[in-house]
């Protein structure tokens, strides 16, 4: 059985302000913006090229507890060109750190920003995804599993 991570509920104080930030400043696509039941609203947004979305909610009960806005840190996006991504974010008015190159290894360069509530994001440069997109690796893995090869993504 596959277990796919597809939606992360992100706590915010102002759902419209957060939607506008993620849509207008980060370029996320608005998949859903609807009252899903009386008094409960969901805004689901997906980063370009991503298989995982964020959901901003209002009025929905959570059986496991409700996190406080601004308490999520370590959310991470991956890009193939961090300098181009940095220029795009700055051009959209996002306060983002300069890229930090920890080593010359692929995957070792990051930049950071927070949303209007203080939820913290990292952006990682992973140049390998230019020639090896994750969706292709996953499709190849699924085809391999049908053939029972035992190959893994990596």
């Amino acid at each position: 059985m596959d277990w796919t991570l597809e939606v992360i509920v992100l706590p915010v104080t102002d759902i419209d302000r957060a939607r506008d930030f993620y849509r207008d400043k980060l370029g996320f696509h608005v998949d859903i913006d609807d009252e899903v039941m009386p008094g409960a609203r969901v805004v689901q947004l997906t980063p370009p090229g991503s298989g995982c979305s964020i959901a901003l909610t209002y009025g929905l009960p959570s059986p496991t507890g409700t996190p406080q806005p601004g308490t999520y840190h370590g959310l991470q996006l991956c890009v193939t060109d961090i300098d181009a991504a940095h220029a795009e974010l700055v051009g959209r008015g996002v306060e983002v750190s300069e890229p930090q190159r920890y080593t010359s290894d692929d995957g070792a360069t990051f930049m950071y920003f927070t949303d209007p509530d203080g939820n913290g994001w990292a952006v990682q440069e992973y140049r390998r995804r230019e020639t090896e997109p994750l969706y292709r690796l996953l499709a190849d893995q699924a085809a391999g599993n049908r053939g029972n090869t035992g190959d893994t993504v990596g």
Side-chain angles (χ1 to χ4, degrees):
M1 172 187 321
D2 289 337
W3 294 62
T4 61
L5 180 63
E6 296 188 18
V7 180
I8 297 169
V9 178
L10 191 62
V12 297
T13 56
D14 181 328
I15 200 167
D16 289 319
R17 178 183 71 173
R19 179 206 53 214
D20 294 351
F21 174 80
Y22 285 101
R23 181 191 61 205
D24 301 339
K25 300 281 188 180
L26 299 183
F28 287 21
H29 179 265
V30 177
D31 305 313
I32 300 168
D33 186 348
D34 205 3
E35 186 175 59
V36 295
M37 65 177 91
R41 181 173 167 207
V42 173
V43 176
Q44 183 172 318
L45 304 105
T46 304
S50 180
C52 188
S53 303
I54 60 170
L56 315 173
T57 63
Y58 175 81
L60 285 179
S62 175
T64 60
T66 304
Q68 295 301 307
T71 61
Y72 273 31
H73 296 277
L75 296 161
Q76 188 164 307
L77 299 165
C78 292
V79 297
T80 57
D81 182 339
I82 204 157
D83 294 321
H86 183 266
E88 183 176 327
L89 291 179
V90 168
R92 291 176 178 242
V94 177
E95 291 184 29
V96 60
S97 72
E98 292 293 323
Q100 299 177 22
R101 299 181 200 295
Y102 296 105
T103 72
S104 61
D105 296 336
D106 192 18
T109 302
F110 292 82
M111 62 184 175
Y112 307 93
F113 67 89
T114 58
D115 73 7
D117 283 293
N119 294 303
W121 289 82
V123 179
Q124 177 187 27
E125 180 180 71
Y126 197 39
R127 297 181 305 273
R128 178 178 173 191
R129 288 290 174 251
E130 185 73 35
T131 57
E132 297 178 23
L134 186 57
Y135 72 87
R136 187 180 310 142
L137 294 174
L138 293 173
D140 291 348
Q141 178 186 18
N145 284 342
R146 285 190 296 273
N148 200 20
T149 65
D151 292 340
T152 59
V153 174

